[in-house]
Amino acid sequence: MTFTATDLHNFLRTRHSIRRFKTDPVPDSVIQNILGTAAFAPSAHNRQPWRFAVITTQVVKEELAEAMAVDFERDLIRDGLAPEKIQVQIQRSKGRITSAPLAILICLDISEMDSYPDEKRQYAERTMAMQSVAAAGMQLLLAVHAEGLGAVWACWPLFAQETIRRTLHLSQSWEPHGMFFIGYPEVLPQARERKSLEETAIFI
Ligand SMILES: Cc1cc2nc3c(=O)[nH]c(=O)nc-3n(C[C@H](O)[C@H](O)[C@H](O)COP(=O)(O)O)c2cc1C
């Protein structure tokens, strides 16, 4: 089978964030394929500083949801949010974790990168590492789409890095940066609006 450029652009443009899933599990071979393809992302110095924790066990999902909820609740209380609104948000975030058939945590292992004595180069190196992890995240989302699955990228692990590391017994050098909730889509959402090229690009 050959694909035209139009087919491939169409594939790239029909990836949407999916937030509601059927209960069907994602087969192990599919998980392996997704992670294998994510690893083909480009990375600074080809260091591949991404790390993945694959979570399929319900008890682990529940443990993680409970632990992260403690951090989340503390932050929302600090923000001065009303208790009933806090509970709504907490229940929603717990539900996201426990109801997804598959959750994949993406981490950055900074020990893979160079280190510099000066702040400017160290900042650049760290930025490169994060860009590399983000590239792997994007590639993972596209691999998920290729499998006919859906996923959403959740940023909130950034707010609970230590809690996640402790709960999942991760190595100290793994910094949690995001989590992907993955499964067979229950509903296919409409494409979200995009800014026009005039707003985001200049041609010089
Ligand atoms: C770094 C990053 C963090 C995100 N965090 C969240 C999140 O915490 N919760 C959520 O529902 N969606 C999250 N998203 C998904 C975006 O909301 C979504 O990509 C955007 O609205 C565009 O929609 P689309 O993915 O369907 O094209 C995140 C996306 C990225 C790239």
Side-chain angles (χ1 to χ4, degrees):
M1 200 190 298
T2 51
F3 297 101
T4 64
T6 305
D7 292 333
L8 294 171
H9 282 289
N10 190 43
F11 167 76
L12 295 169
R13 289 174 186 214
T14 52
R15 179 219 53 82
H16 307 301
S17 293
I18 305 291
R19 296 177 174 83
R20 291 176 60 194
F21 307 103
K22 294 180 177 158
T23 52
D24 309 50
V26 181
D28 282 349
S29 60
V30 173
I31 300 175
Q32 297 281 338
N33 248 348
I34 291 168
L35 293 176
T37 295
F40 277 84
S43 62
H45 329 295
N46 194 24
R47 293 288 164 77
Q48 305 166 43
W50 47 75
R51 299 289 181 270
F52 300 104
V54 179
I55 308 160
T56 51
T57 316
Q58 196 57 25
V59 65
V60 177
K61 286 186 216 161
E62 277 161 20
E63 221 179 298
L64 190 61
E66 288 299 329
M68 287 174 77
V70 174
D71 284 22
F72 194 23
E73 185 169 21
R74 195 185 47 224
D75 288 344
L76 294 177
I77 289 170
R78 245 186 240 145
D79 290 347
L81 205 69
E84 53 286 1
K85 288 194 174 156
I86 293 180
Q87 281 320 307
V88 170
Q89 291 210 30
I90 297 282
Q91 292 314 321
R92 195 176 55 198
S93 80
K94 279 187 186 173
R96 279 269 178 94
I97 303 179
T98 55
S99 67
L102 168 64
I104 299 183
L105 177 76
I106 189 166
C107 299
L108 161 62
D109 189 343
I110 198 68
S111 69
E112 292 285 1
M113 304 303 285
D114 291 340
S115 53
Y116 293 97
D118 59 288
E119 214 175 284
K120 184 179 160 202
R121 281 183 299 169
Q122 192 55 38
Y123 173 78
E125 187 72 11
R126 186 168 175 76
T127 303
M128 274 177 237
M130 289 196 274
Q131 289 169 339
S132 305
V133 168
M138 183 68 236
Q139 186 105 335
L140 181 147
L141 287 178
L142 292 173
V144 163
H145 183 38
E147 293 284 352
L149 288 154
V152 63
W153 182 326
C155 60
W156 18 287
L158 279 171
F159 302 101
Q161 289 180 313
E162 195 43 53
T163 298
I164 295 171
R165 204 185 277 128
R166 193 182 59 245
T167 309
L168 299 181
H169 311 289
L170 303 178
S171 151
Q172 198 56 34
S173 68
W174 287 32
E175 285 176 20
H177 274 252
M179 196 176 284
F180 302 96
F181 298 115
I182 303 169
Y184 293 95
E186 189 162 77
V187 275
L188 287 175
Q190 293 283 322
R192 301 193 77 172
E193 214 172 285
R194 257 44 189 184
K195 290 181 176 161
S196 68
L197 266 190
E198 287 70 30
E199 292 171 279
T200 58
I202 56 169
F203 299 84
I204 300 167

